[in-house]
Structure formats: C-alpha cells, structure tokens
Amino acid sequence: MQDIPCRLCGGKSTEKFHLRGLQGIDITYFECINCGSLQTQEPTWLPEAYKRSHLANADTGAAQRVLGNHALVLIAAKVLRLQTILDFGGGDGLLCRLLRDRGLDAETVDGYSTPT
C-alpha cells in the first residue's frame, strides 16, 4: 500500500484499489483523506491513449453520454445558480457547445484533444 499527495488539495491520498486500463496497464486508484476525491496514479498512459486521434472516432456512445451529462450539468447549474462552467478534459467540445447554446459561459480544456 502506498500514499500520494492529492492533486486537488494536497492532502494525503491512500491506495484504494487497482484496475486494468488501456492496453493492459495496471492503474492504482487513490482516495484523498481530506477532500474525498478519487484519482489515479500519475496518468502516464494518456499520450498513448490519445495518439491515434479523437476518441469519438471509435466511441459510438460518446454523443449519448454527452447528452446525459448535458442534462445533469444544466440541472446543477440551475440549482447552484452557476453561469460559468469549465469542462476539464472536454474532448471534442460537444458538451461545451451545448452549454453555450443554453446561455452558459462554458469553456473546455483538454491537453489531448482539440475541440471541433
């Protein structure tokens, strides 16, 4: 068992479980004792995962998930009275575009994909 610092708050994160990821890479998951976030070990596999092209090219359920997330984000934005939203890891930017179409100030950031 190992501990790492939380990438969100800097608190102590303890090892919770392991899963096999892309191309058989074993990934360790950690939970922060301070803020409760769940995160992986340093994600060294991202360049390999995204080097071919956008995930949407091979992911037939991507649009359906975006529509579901869109509904949830709209509800959360209304309840919490949010006007500005950052979609971190937003892929091709579809969720951001839909949120903008609903009048929210939405931006997307993704180091491995280009919004289209």
Side-chain angles (χ1 to χ4, degrees), residues 4-66:
I4 63 168
C6 176
R7 291 192 296 270
L8 294 176
C9 75
K12 179 181 174 183
S13 295
T14 60
E15 189 175 319
K16 295 303 280 185
F17 58 90
H18 300 267
L19 289 177
R20 181 145 297 165
L22 295 170
Q23 299 185 5
I25 298 170
D26 288 319
I27 302 170
T28 304
Y29 287 76
F30 298 86
E31 182 177 30
C32 179
I33 294 171
N34 185 48
C35 71
S37 71
L38 185 66
Q39 54 195 275
T40 67
Q41 66 199 51
E42 188 66 31
T44 58
W45 58 88
L46 289 176
E48 177 66 24
Y50 287 93
K51 77 178 182 182
R52 288 177 192 85
S53 66
H54 290 76
L55 280 180
N57 290 345
D59 184 357
T60 59
Q64 186 62 41
R65 285 192 309 279
V66 167

